[in-house]
Amino acid sequence: MNDQNWLVEQFETHRNHLQTVAYRMLGSRSEADDAVQESWIRLIRSNTGEVVNIGGWLTTIVSRVCLDMLRTRKSRRDELVMASAPELVTGHQDGSDPEHEALMADSVGHAMFVVLEKLNPSERIAFVLHDVFALSFSEIALIIGRNEAAARQLASRARRRVQGAESTSETAELQRKRELVDAFLAAARNGEFEKLLSVLDPNVVLRNDPAFAPVANVPVVRGSEAVFKQVQQFANRARSMMPVLVNGSVGIVAGHLDQPLFILEFTFVDGKIVEIGMIADQARLHGLNIAALND
């Protein structure tokens, strides 16, 4: 295999990883593609004969390209507007752990991308490389042209701003879910058809637990009208139900918090309830993290 073919093979092996790194830093699919392409150009123009870790070397190159692009973007005040949560980039052709990559993807939500735009380029690079891709501060220092202590400080400063943004976003999301569950519960208690339909997706699915005898013969209920009819059957019981946190999301408990009769879990999409899951089996209930919600 000649040198050119070897370079092509190595680059393709690490391409997905490089695109992931670039996307995390830039927040733009097209800019990430440009950064990866520029990295390829720099690769074929470089002497890689003494490079021991080609993957690490390519990560350094794409990071420097991204840093240059961020500096150019900042200098012309061309701020990227994140209208919606970006599509996550995944890929494991570089031999990385898929579960780890999935966790890294989940760690970069809409709130993080928004606040990353407010960081200076060096802060952004230091934070993403250390907190998302676990590069050492000594490696990061070489990329951003600072000493190790400065790289550590930049990442720490960025981390505080990102964590603050994520906390605010999570609180707002939890409040929106609480409002939907409160509306569901109020409509169920009062038998208000129109109000219940306003929070249910037309194709909502209710998955009953056979462990709860009254619904054991109806495992799945589909459609908002059919769900309403079942909810009507338990209007009296609904008066004693209350919203709770179930594994960190908003749900409903029937019975006592420390000894529930059953739990209702909710799935939300676009401001509507799209799925309701009942859990009545005692073994499953004991495995849930259930906590009271503050009013």
mmCIF file of all heavy atoms in Angstrom, residues 16-17 20-21 24 88-107 132-133:
data_model
loop_
_atom_site.group_PDB
_atom_site.id
_atom_site.type_symbol
_atom_site.label_atom_id
_atom_site.label_comp_id
_atom_site.label_asym_id
_atom_site.label_seq_id
_atom_site.Cartn_x
_atom_site.Cartn_y
_atom_site.Cartn_z
ATOM 1 N N ASN A 16 -15.667 10.038 10.823
ATOM 2 C CA ASN A 16 -16.848 10.264 11.662
ATOM 3 C C ASN A 16 -16.490 10.975 12.968
ATOM 4 O O ASN A 16 -17.204 11.864 13.429
ATOM 5 C CB ASN A 16 -17.549 8.939 11.963
ATOM 6 C CG ASN A 16 -18.400 8.469 10.804
ATOM 7 O OD1 ASN A 16 -18.484 9.136 9.783
ATOM 8 N ND2 ASN A 16 -19.013 7.323 10.956
ATOM 9 N N HIS A 17 -15.391 10.533 13.573
ATOM 10 C CA HIS A 17 -14.936 11.177 14.805
ATOM 11 C C HIS A 17 -14.596 12.643 14.561
ATOM 12 O O HIS A 17 -14.966 13.524 15.349
ATOM 13 C CB HIS A 17 -13.721 10.446 15.360
ATOM 14 C CG HIS A 17 -13.086 11.143 16.523
ATOM 15 N ND1 HIS A 17 -13.684 11.219 17.768
ATOM 16 C CD2 HIS A 17 -11.908 11.824 16.626
ATOM 17 C CE1 HIS A 17 -12.903 11.894 18.586
ATOM 18 N NE2 HIS A 17 -11.827 12.279 17.916
ATOM 19 N N THR A 20 -17.684 14.663 14.211
ATOM 20 C CA THR A 20 -18.317 14.864 15.516
ATOM 21 C C THR A 20 -17.623 15.970 16.291
ATOM 22 O O THR A 20 -18.268 16.854 16.866
ATOM 23 C CB THR A 20 -18.282 13.555 16.332
ATOM 24 O OG1 THR A 20 -18.940 12.524 15.586
ATOM 25 C CG2 THR A 20 -18.977 13.725 17.661
ATOM 26 N N VAL A 21 -16.289 15.935 16.314
ATOM 27 C CA VAL A 21 -15.518 16.977 17.010
ATOM 28 C C VAL A 21 -15.825 18.346 16.425
ATOM 29 O O VAL A 21 -16.108 19.312 17.150
ATOM 30 C CB VAL A 21 -14.009 16.674 16.922
ATOM 31 C CG1 VAL A 21 -13.194 17.853 17.461
ATOM 32 C CG2 VAL A 21 -13.664 15.409 17.702
ATOM 33 N N ARG A 24 -19.396 19.567 17.245
ATOM 34 C CA ARG A 24 -19.539 20.003 18.628
ATOM 35 C C ARG A 24 -18.968 21.404 18.815
ATOM 36 O O ARG A 24 -19.483 22.201 19.585
ATOM 37 C CB ARG A 24 -18.822 19.043 19.582
ATOM 38 C CG ARG A 24 -19.381 17.631 19.587
ATOM 39 C CD ARG A 24 -20.815 17.589 20.113
ATOM 40 N NE ARG A 24 -21.263 16.209 20.246
ATOM 41 C CZ ARG A 24 -21.907 15.556 19.302
ATOM 42 N NH1 ARG A 24 -22.173 16.160 18.163
ATOM 43 N NH2 ARG A 24 -22.289 14.309 19.484
ATOM 44 N N LEU A 88 -27.961 15.531 16.097
ATOM 45 C CA LEU A 88 -26.762 14.976 16.690
ATOM 46 C C LEU A 88 -26.006 14.141 15.674
ATOM 47 O O LEU A 88 -26.588 13.473 14.830
ATOM 48 C CB LEU A 88 -27.128 14.116 17.901
ATOM 49 C CG LEU A 88 -27.749 14.909 19.051
ATOM 50 C CD1 LEU A 88 -28.180 13.950 20.153
ATOM 51 C CD2 LEU A 88 -26.784 15.928 19.594
ATOM 52 N N VAL A 89 -24.682 14.204 15.772
ATOM 53 C CA VAL A 89 -23.816 13.447 14.887
ATOM 54 C C VAL A 89 -23.263 12.265 15.641
ATOM 55 O O VAL A 89 -22.720 12.415 16.723
ATOM 56 C CB VAL A 89 -22.648 14.328 14.395
ATOM 57 C CG1 VAL A 89 -21.746 13.537 13.470
ATOM 58 C CG2 VAL A 89 -23.175 15.573 13.693
ATOM 59 N N THR A 90 -23.424 11.077 15.097
ATOM 60 C CA THR A 90 -22.865 9.904 15.752
ATOM 61 C C THR A 90 -22.100 9.085 14.734
ATOM 62 O O THR A 90 -22.266 9.225 13.526
ATOM 63 C CB THR A 90 -23.959 9.009 16.358
ATOM 64 O OG1 THR A 90 -24.861 8.615 15.312
ATOM 65 C CG2 THR A 90 -24.732 9.752 17.430
ATOM 66 N N GLY A 91 -21.280 8.203 15.225
ATOM 67 C CA GLY A 91 -20.520 7.341 14.335
ATOM 68 C C GLY A 91 -19.420 6.672 15.128
ATOM 69 O O GLY A 91 -18.797 7.287 15.977
ATOM 70 N N HIS A 92 -19.107 5.448 14.793
ATOM 71 C CA HIS A 92 -18.178 4.695 15.614
ATOM 72 C C HIS A 92 -17.112 4.010 14.768
ATOM 73 O O HIS A 92 -16.501 3.052 15.193
ATOM 74 C CB HIS A 92 -18.936 3.658 16.438
ATOM 75 C CG HIS A 92 -20.212 4.197 16.989
ATOM 76 N ND1 HIS A 92 -20.242 5.223 17.900
ATOM 77 C CD2 HIS A 92 -21.501 3.879 16.728
ATOM 78 C CE1 HIS A 92 -21.510 5.504 18.198
ATOM 79 N NE2 HIS A 92 -22.275 4.709 17.497
ATOM 80 N N GLN A 93 -16.859 4.506 13.569
ATOM 81 C CA GLN A 93 -15.884 3.856 12.723
ATOM 82 C C GLN A 93 -14.472 4.019 13.255
ATOM 83 O O GLN A 93 -13.544 3.369 12.798
ATOM 84 C CB GLN A 93 -15.970 4.409 11.297
ATOM 85 C CG GLN A 93 -17.288 4.052 10.618
ATOM 86 C CD GLN A 93 -17.364 4.586 9.216
ATOM 87 O OE1 GLN A 93 -16.354 4.975 8.640
ATOM 88 N NE2 GLN A 93 -18.545 4.602 8.647
ATOM 89 N N ASP A 94 -14.271 4.934 14.212
ATOM 90 C CA ASP A 94 -12.946 5.125 14.765
ATOM 91 C C ASP A 94 -12.636 4.131 15.875
ATOM 92 O O ASP A 94 -11.605 4.210 16.524
ATOM 93 C CB ASP A 94 -12.797 6.549 15.304
ATOM 94 C CG ASP A 94 -13.824 6.870 16.379
ATOM 95 O OD1 ASP A 94 -14.804 6.112 16.489
ATOM 96 O OD2 ASP A 94 -13.640 7.884 17.083
ATOM 97 N N GLY A 95 -13.560 3.207 16.123
ATOM 98 C CA GLY A 95 -13.312 2.191 17.134
ATOM 99 C C GLY A 95 -13.689 2.604 18.524
ATOM 100 O O GLY A 95 -13.353 1.920 19.491
ATOM 101 N N SER A 96 -14.361 3.710 18.683
ATOM 102 C CA SER A 96 -14.727 4.176 20.017
ATOM 103 C C SER A 96 -15.913 3.379 20.556
ATOM 104 O O SER A 96 -16.567 2.640 19.848
ATOM 105 C CB SER A 96 -15.072 5.664 19.977
ATOM 106 O OG SER A 96 -16.147 5.894 19.105
ATOM 107 N N ASP A 97 -16.170 3.563 21.844
ATOM 108 C CA ASP A 97 -17.255 2.858 22.513
ATOM 109 C C ASP A 97 -18.587 3.495 22.137
ATOM 110 O O ASP A 97 -18.811 4.664 22.436
ATOM 111 C CB ASP A 97 -17.020 2.949 24.027
ATOM 112 C CG ASP A 97 -18.132 2.274 24.817
ATOM 113 O OD1 ASP A 97 -19.004 1.638 24.204
ATOM 114 O OD2 ASP A 97 -18.106 2.389 26.043
ATOM 115 N N PRO A 98 -19.529 2.777 21.495
ATOM 116 C CA PRO A 98 -20.803 3.375 21.080
ATOM 117 C C PRO A 98 -21.585 3.963 22.236
ATOM 118 O O PRO A 98 -22.201 5.018 22.091
ATOM 119 C CB PRO A 98 -21.547 2.190 20.436
ATOM 120 C CG PRO A 98 -20.473 1.253 19.999
ATOM 121 C CD PRO A 98 -19.389 1.388 21.033
ATOM 122 N N GLU A 99 -21.584 3.281 23.394
ATOM 123 C CA GLU A 99 -22.324 3.807 24.537
ATOM 124 C C GLU A 99 -21.736 5.131 24.995
ATOM 125 O O GLU A 99 -22.462 6.080 25.305
ATOM 126 C CB GLU A 99 -22.297 2.792 25.682
ATOM 127 C CG GLU A 99 -23.107 3.252 26.894
ATOM 128 C CD GLU A 99 -23.118 2.224 28.002
ATOM 129 O OE1 GLU A 99 -22.542 1.136 27.788
ATOM 130 O OE2 GLU A 99 -23.683 2.503 29.065
ATOM 131 N N HIS A 100 -20.406 5.222 25.003
ATOM 132 C CA HIS A 100 -19.755 6.472 25.398
ATOM 133 C C HIS A 100 -20.090 7.577 24.407
ATOM 134 O O HIS A 100 -20.381 8.706 24.780
ATOM 135 C CB HIS A 100 -18.242 6.265 25.456
ATOM 136 C CG HIS A 100 -17.479 7.513 25.773
ATOM 137 N ND1 HIS A 100 -17.482 8.071 27.029
ATOM 138 C CD2 HIS A 100 -16.717 8.315 24.989
ATOM 139 C CE1 HIS A 100 -16.729 9.162 27.022
ATOM 140 N NE2 HIS A 100 -16.261 9.329 25.798
ATOM 141 N N GLU A 101 -20.056 7.254 23.110
ATOM 142 C CA GLU A 101 -20.381 8.257 22.100
ATOM 143 C C GLU A 101 -21.814 8.754 22.252
ATOM 144 O O GLU A 101 -22.103 9.931 22.063
ATOM 145 C CB GLU A 101 -20.186 7.664 20.692
ATOM 146 C CG GLU A 101 -18.732 7.496 20.294
ATOM 147 C CD GLU A 101 -18.051 8.825 20.074
ATOM 148 O OE1 GLU A 101 -18.723 9.804 19.722
ATOM 149 O OE2 GLU A 101 -16.830 8.890 20.269
ATOM 150 N N ALA A 102 -22.741 7.832 22.583
ATOM 151 C CA ALA A 102 -24.136 8.232 22.768
ATOM 152 C C ALA A 102 -24.262 9.193 23.943
ATOM 153 O O ALA A 102 -24.998 10.188 23.874
ATOM 154 C CB ALA A 102 -25.011 7.009 22.992
ATOM 155 N N LEU A 103 -23.549 8.916 25.023
ATOM 156 C CA LEU A 103 -23.583 9.811 26.172
ATOM 157 C C LEU A 103 -23.007 11.168 25.819
ATOM 158 O O LEU A 103 -23.509 12.214 26.242
ATOM 159 C CB LEU A 103 -22.791 9.193 27.330
ATOM 160 C CG LEU A 103 -23.417 7.970 27.993
ATOM 161 C CD1 LEU A 103 -22.451 7.377 29.005
ATOM 162 C CD2 LEU A 103 -24.731 8.336 28.666
ATOM 163 N N MET A 104 -21.948 11.178 25.017
ATOM 164 C CA MET A 104 -21.362 12.448 24.607
ATOM 165 C C MET A 104 -22.340 13.240 23.742
ATOM 166 O O MET A 104 -22.439 14.466 23.839
ATOM 167 C CB MET A 104 -20.071 12.198 23.815
ATOM 168 C CG MET A 104 -18.930 11.647 24.654
ATOM 169 S SD MET A 104 -18.467 12.690 26.068
ATOM 170 C CE MET A 104 -19.356 11.905 27.403
ATOM 171 N N ALA A 105 -23.061 12.535 22.871
ATOM 172 C CA ALA A 105 -24.035 13.217 22.015
ATOM 173 C C ALA A 105 -25.126 13.853 22.854
ATOM 174 O O ALA A 105 -25.520 15.000 22.637
ATOM 175 C CB ALA A 105 -24.643 12.224 21.014
ATOM 176 N N ASP A 106 -25.624 13.093 23.854
ATOM 177 C CA ASP A 106 -26.689 13.604 24.703
ATOM 178 C C ASP A 106 -26.247 14.790 25.549
ATOM 179 O O ASP A 106 -27.061 15.583 26.007
ATOM 180 C CB ASP A 106 -27.201 12.501 25.631
ATOM 181 C CG ASP A 106 -27.989 11.456 24.871
ATOM 182 O OD1 ASP A 106 -28.425 11.769 23.742
ATOM 183 O OD2 ASP A 106 -28.163 10.348 25.392
ATOM 184 N N SER A 107 -24.933 14.901 25.783
ATOM 185 C CA SER A 107 -24.454 15.966 26.650
ATOM 186 C C SER A 107 -24.504 17.328 25.979
ATOM 187 O O SER A 107 -24.301 18.345 26.623
ATOM 188 C CB SER A 107 -23.013 15.677 27.091
ATOM 189 O OG SER A 107 -22.115 15.880 26.020
ATOM 190 N N VAL A 132 -16.138 17.222 26.688
ATOM 191 C CA VAL A 132 -16.876 16.334 25.791
ATOM 192 C C VAL A 132 -15.990 15.212 25.248
ATOM 193 O O VAL A 132 -16.424 14.066 25.165
ATOM 194 C CB VAL A 132 -17.505 17.123 24.629
ATOM 195 C CG1 VAL A 132 -18.250 16.194 23.677
ATOM 196 C CG2 VAL A 132 -18.438 18.209 25.157
ATOM 197 N N PHE A 133 -14.721 15.541 24.914
ATOM 198 C CA PHE A 133 -13.859 14.537 24.293
ATOM 199 C C PHE A 133 -12.684 14.104 25.174
ATOM 200 O O PHE A 133 -11.845 13.327 24.739
ATOM 201 C CB PHE A 133 -13.358 15.045 22.942
ATOM 202 C CG PHE A 133 -14.455 15.179 21.936
ATOM 203 C CD1 PHE A 133 -15.018 16.413 21.666
ATOM 204 C CD2 PHE A 133 -14.965 14.070 21.289
ATOM 205 C CE1 PHE A 133 -16.055 16.546 20.757
ATOM 206 C CE2 PHE A 133 -16.005 14.186 20.382
ATOM 207 C CZ PHE A 133 -16.553 15.421 20.114
#
